[in-house]
Amino acid sequence: MPRKIVIIGANAAGSGVASAARKTDREAEITIIEREKYPAYSRCGLPFVLAGEISEFEKLIIFPLAWYKMMKLNLLTETTVQSIDVKEKSIMIKSADGKESTLPYDTLVLATGARSFIPPVKGYDKDGVLALRTIQDGIKFKEKMKSAKAAVIVGAGFIGLETAHALFENKINPIIVEMLPWICPTVFDQDTANIVQKKIEEHGIKVIVGKGVEEILGDTSVTGVKVAGETIPADMVLMATGVRSNTELAVQMGVELGITKAIKVNSRMATNISDVYSCGDCVESQNMLTGLIGMCQLGTTAVRQAKVAGTNAAGGYSVFPGVLGSSVSTFFGVEIGATGLTEFQATRLGLKPISGVVTSKTRADYFPGAKDIRVKIVAEPEFGRIIGCQIVAGEEVTQRVNMISAGIQKQMTIFELAKADTCYAPPVNETWEPIALAAEMAVAKLRR
């Protein structure tokens, strides 16, 4: 009898699980259950459709339906899971037409993802208060932009800032409100964040930090937002205040949640229930550097976990090494990226970090088109081991962040990075690689 694998959720994690499972077991019967109309698509691409850089939301769909057929996957969209019997290993599902049926399984993978978190501030339920998590959210947001004259974005993480750029491209200058003392607080230190904020403000965008939204004003529709006693006119508000894991099914099944209230898994992405695995935005992760458990709800994390979960669910063996939270983005003509710990985070953990900062150019200074780049390397003070990096530049950020991520995983030191054999040509890089120069600055601090 072929192995029966059921995957709940067909987005980045779910489709990744299916692919890995099929490569591991060519004969398995694999079913994917998805409650949305669309199977796997790039949620990260939504702001770029709104900005007009991608022509339509359908372009974000990762795999055509033909791919699922080619991989011999039974895809059930617009289908909800009603209940799961872990003793009988069966799942009750309901299709869009209301028909109920039962699916047996040998192994089950929960890739239920997450949903937008809308903080319960007064007036949060008014028309014009929006989230941006699904294609349907994007369609609604795009329609609202057609008539909007003023917008407020609550939350200055990557989604908030990318959507601010989208609004700007549509001739709407939003006001960005961040409750914490600086923007991108989970990936940047304040010095790096201040540079990014300045780049945004150069485009005429107002950024308010260290203040929260007290109330969303209006009768049934948004007319404004109250921040620190001040009324800001607005007819649309984006709540870019993070996401919360979808764990309802897991709780009903008796799956154990962790300290983050997300699903607890081991290194094989297995839950506490036999033959049940989980991955993606619904699970918690272990940090490679600190060993601490936390949330890392990135698409890259989801697909890496999915490969492990899918392999194991299909009878193979694979382990997940943990996360560093490596991330990049671009908006308002600037690229930003980070990996590992910030100096602030490391200090709170008692590491007493050192850092090296350098500002350079992305090409030879004399070469046309050379753009500014600022690199910050964070290291622990005992051996000089690299624990973090933050980069802001006009171009060429991603692969530098990737390089530092690999260096951290290999326990590279600032002494080694400062002497790294790097490449140079006037059109593409300076003679001295900026990340090596930043490491050199950190070495100088360590030797004092």
Side-chain angles (χ1 to χ4, degrees):
M1 291 286 289
R3 185 193 311 267
K4 293 180 172 60
I5 302 171
V6 176
I7 303 159
I8 302 176
N11 224 286
S15 59
V17 169
S19 179
R22 174 56 72 219
K23 290 174 184 176
T24 305
D25 186 341
R26 299 290 182 178
E27 304 302 322
E29 294 178 5
I30 303 174
T31 300
I32 313 173
I33 303 168
E34 174 55 53
R35 62 185 175 185
E36 285 192 54
K37 175 182 177 181
Y38 303 96
Y41 61 87
S42 173
R43 300 189 192 279
C44 299
L46 293 170
F48 304 99
V49 178
L50 297 176
E53 296 171 61
I54 301 169
S55 60
E56 56 190 32
F57 291 109
E58 283 72 18
K59 297 282 188 182
L60 303 180
I61 297 173
I62 301 169
F63 302 114
L65 293 178
W67 179 83
Y68 295 91
K69 292 180 180 179
M70 179 191 72
M71 296 290 284
K72 297 180 180 178
L73 305 173
N74 179 26
L75 175 66
L76 306 176
T77 57
E78 297 183 278
T79 301
T80 57
V81 175
Q82 301 298 99
S83 63
I84 300 173
D85 188 328
V86 295
K87 290 182 180 179
E88 296 295 326
K89 289 192 170 183
S90 64
I91 303 171
M92 179 71 73
I93 61 173
K94 187 176 183 179
S95 59
D97 61 6
K99 183 180 178 181
E100 292 188 345
S101 57
T102 301
L103 283 176
Y105 70 85
D106 294 308
T107 53
L108 172 65
V109 183
L110 301 176
T112 49
R115 61 188 178 279
S116 296
F117 171 67
I118 308 295
V121 298
K122 187 177 180 180
Y124 75 94
D125 54 349
K126 297 185 189 303
D127 181 55
V129 178
L130 306 166
L132 190 60
R133 177 71 181 172
T134 67
I135 284 181
Q136 291 303 321
D137 289 339
I139 292 170
K140 187 176 180 181
F141 196 99
K142 189 173 184 178
E143 186 62 30
K144 187 67 177 177
M145 282 197 306
K146 293 177 181 178
S147 59
K149 295 180 174 59
V152 169
I153 292 180
V154 183
F158 281 12
I159 291 294
L161 299 181
E162 289 163 359
T163 309
H165 174 78
L167 287 162
F168 176 78
E169 290 296 310
N170 283 274
K171 313 302 181 186
I172 303 169
N173 273 24
I175 292 176
I176 302 167
V177 180
E178 171 56 58
M179 184 172 65
L180 295 177
W182 59 85
I183 65 173
C184 299
T186 61
V187 295
F188 286 157
D189 286 310
Q190 188 165 11
D191 57 338
T192 306
N194 287 347
I195 291 168
V196 178
Q197 181 174 331
K198 184 179 178 182
K199 294 283 186 183
I200 295 169
E201 291 172 336
E202 286 173 357
H203 289 78
I205 308 297
K206 184 176 181 180
V207 181
I208 301 170
V209 295
K211 297 176 182 178
V213 171
E214 298 168 352
E215 184 180 354
I216 297 172
L217 306 172
D219 293 328
T220 57
S221 299
V222 174
T223 59
V225 172
K226 186 178 286 187
V227 178
E230 178 188 353
T231 297
I232 301 171
D235 41 28
M236 65 185 301
V237 176
L238 172 67
M239 287 294 191
T241 45
V243 297
R244 295 293 183 270
S245 298
N246 292 323
T247 58
E248 293 78 9
L249 274 177
V251 170
Q252 291 172 21
M253 294 168 59
V255 169
E256 183 181 357
L257 303 186
I259 59 172
T260 64
K261 305 302 182 185
I263 296 171
K264 182 178 180 179
V265 291
N266 64 17
S267 62
R268 298 188 69 221
M269 308 310 297
T271 70
N272 63 303
I273 295 180
S274 178
D275 296 321
V276 177
Y277 298 84
S278 188
C279 60
D281 288 355
C282 57
V283 307
E284 58 187 19
S285 303
Q286 185 175 44
N287 187 284
M288 289 183 190
L289 282 167
T290 67
L292 297 175
I293 300 298
M295 298 302 297
C296 189
Q297 293 162 311
L298 298 169
T300 45
T301 300
V303 296
R304 288 170 56 230
Q305 290 176 337
K307 185 175 288 188
V308 174
T311 299
N312 291 323
Y317 186 88
S318 183
V319 296
F320 183 67
V323 298
L324 287 176
S326 306
S327 54
V328 293
S329 188
T330 180
F331 39 75
F332 297 107
V334 66
E335 293 183 12
I336 63 174
T339 188
L341 301 176
T342 65
E343 197 170 10
F344 175 76
Q345 290 165 346
T347 299
R348 290 193 66 184
L349 292 169
L351 296 181
K352 299 181 180 178
I354 57 167
S355 64
V357 179
V358 69
T359 299
S360 183
K361 293 289 185 180
T362 57
R363 313 177 189 185
D365 195 32
Y366 57 80
F367 199 91
K371 298 180 180 180
D372 291 335
I373 180 169
R374 181 186 186 271
V375 178
K376 179 175 185 176
I377 298 289
V378 183
E380 54 82 24
E382 188 172 357
F383 301 106
R385 188 161 60 98
I386 301 165
I387 58 174
C389 175
Q390 300 158 48
I391 305 178
V392 180
E395 59 185 359
E396 303 296 335
V397 168
T398 299
Q399 298 311 325
R400 287 184 165 99
V401 171
N402 286 343
M403 176 182 174
I404 298 300
S405 173
I408 292 173
Q409 292 175 67
K410 290 300 180 181
Q411 300 188 14
M412 192 178 196
T413 69
I414 50 176
F415 303 100
E416 294 167 324
L417 182 57
K419 295 180 179 180
D421 186 349
T422 58
C423 52
Y424 153 74
V428 290
N429 201 12
E430 273 279 25
T431 311
W432 287 102
E433 164 56 45
I435 60 175
L437 292 176
E440 200 170 283
M441 297 294 289
V443 168
K445 284 187 180 180
L446 192 60
R447 285 176 171 165
R448 286 175 191 167

